[in-house]
Amino acid sequence: MIKPFFSFLFVLSVSNLYAQNLKNFSIPKGYNKIAEAKGDLDKDGKEETILVFDTNIKASDGRNLEGTADYKRVFYILRNENGTLTVWKENSTVLFSSGTGFYPSDNTLELSIKNNSLHIGQTFFTNSRHTQKYKHTFRFQNGDFYLIGSHDHFEDTCDFSFTNEINFSTGKVIVDKEYSSCDENAKIPTNSHKEFIHKFPALIKMNDFFIGDHKFKIPGLKEDFVF
C-alpha cells in the first residue's frame, strides 16, 4: 500500500504545481465582454469558463459601412482554482475582428462546449448578398488544444450554396456545391458533391490556426481546399 500512496502524493503535487503556474484572471482595462460559455474541457468533472472580449486594440484603421472602429478579439479559457479564475489558455488567432463583414452589427458569434470540445461559430455578410459561416471545433489532448473539426459555408441569396467540411480525427473531407438562380431563364451549373479521405501530417494547435491560411489539393479537381 506504500507505493500507491506515494504515487497519489506525486500526482497531487504535480497538479498543485500546475495550478500554481496559472496566473489569476482579471478583465484587462478597456476590454468589453461579448460572449461566455461553460463546460468541462479536460474530462476532470469540473467546468471551465470561456470568455470572449472585444479588446481596445485596433485591428485596422479603416472604417466600415456603419462607420464603426475595428478592434481585435480575444478569448480566455479559464480554470476555477479554489474559487479563483485562472488563465489556462489565451487565443487571438481564431476570432475575426469586431469590424469584419459588410454590416458588422449583423455578425454573430456562437460559443459552446459539447462532448468536452470547444465549438466556435462565426457568421457575417461579405456583401449585401453573400453570407459566410464558420464553425471550428477544438479538443484538449496531449497537453494542448487542437483543431479537430472545420465547417465552412458560403452562400449567395440566389445563385449558390457551398459547404466545405473536415473531420481531422478521421481525415474525412466533404466538398458540396449547390447552384440555383432567382432568374427563371438563367443557365444553372450542375451541383456537385465529393467526399474523400485526406491524410493530415499532424493536427493543428489552436494558437497556430488562422482561418484561410491552410490548403491542400482536392483530388480530381483543379482547385484547392482552403481552410
Side-chain angles (χ1 to χ4, degrees):
M1 295 298 295
I2 296 178
K3 186 175 182 180
F5 176 73
F6 280 105
S7 297
F8 169 76
L9 289 179
F10 175 76
V11 172
L12 185 62
S13 63
V14 170
S15 299
N16 289 336
L17 180 61
Y18 178 75
Q20 291 171 4
N21 289 333
L22 299 180
K23 65 179 181 180
N24 292 345
F25 174 75
S26 61
I27 300 176
K29 186 178 180 180
Y31 282 27
N32 177 43
K33 189 179 80 170
I34 59 172
E36 179 177 349
K38 292 184 179 182
D40 184 6
L41 288 169
D42 56 359
K43 301 180 181 180
D44 66 350
K46 300 177 182 179
E47 284 191 337
E48 278 72 49
T49 299
I50 318 293
L51 298 179
V52 184
F53 296 89
D54 280 344
T55 72
N56 54 5
I57 303 170
K58 284 284 190 71
S60 63
D61 292 327
R63 293 273 174 166
N64 51 56
L65 291 178
E66 295 178 333
T68 58
D70 186 21
Y71 295 101
K72 292 183 179 181
R73 285 178 170 170
V74 62
F75 69 87
Y76 298 89
I77 302 177
L78 308 174
R79 286 180 176 272
N80 189 323
E81 303 291 347
N82 299 318
T84 300
L85 291 179
T86 57
V87 180
W88 186 17
K89 194 75 172 180
E90 177 181 346
N91 180 275
S92 58
T93 66
V94 176
L95 302 180
F96 291 103
S97 61
S98 67
T100 299
F102 194 62
Y103 289 113
S105 61
D106 292 331
N107 295 354
T108 60
L109 173 64
E110 298 176 339
L111 200 67
S112 65
I113 297 175
K114 299 177 182 177
N115 300 321
N116 306 109
S117 298
L118 173 60
H119 303 265
I120 300 174
Q122 300 179 86
T123 303
F124 55 90
F125 294 97
T126 59
N127 61 30
S128 61
R129 289 180 45 169
H130 294 168
T131 305
Q132 178 68 64
K133 297 181 179 180
Y134 288 108
K135 183 177 180 180
H136 295 96
T137 303
F138 298 91
R139 178 185 295 156
F140 180 73
Q141 57 191 50
N142 300 323
D144 210 331
F145 286 90
Y146 291 86
L147 179 67
I148 62 167
S150 174
H151 180 98
D152 172 356
H153 183 75
F154 184 49
E155 184 173 8
D156 179 89
T157 304
C158 290
D159 293 338
F160 59 79
S161 177
F162 298 158
T163 301
N164 291 336
E165 292 186 61
I166 307 175
N167 182 325
F168 291 90
S169 298
T170 63
K172 183 177 180 179
V173 180
I174 297 175
V175 179
D176 187 86
K177 296 183 178 182
E178 295 183 2
Y179 297 92
S180 58
S181 179
C182 293
D183 182 358
E184 295 181 357
N185 299 318
K187 184 177 180 180
I188 302 175
T190 303
N191 295 339
S192 65
H193 182 87
K194 189 178 184 65
E195 298 185 15
F196 58 94
I197 300 297
H198 180 79
K199 292 185 178 180
F200 295 90
L203 292 178
I204 303 172
K205 290 184 178 181
M206 175 189 286
N207 284 3
D208 293 333
F209 179 61
F210 296 82
I211 298 173
D213 275 8
H214 310 267
K215 64 181 181 179
F216 57 87
K217 289 291 183 182
I218 301 176
L221 299 178
K222 295 180 179 180
E223 60 182 88
D224 292 329
F225 188 110
V226 180
F227 66 98

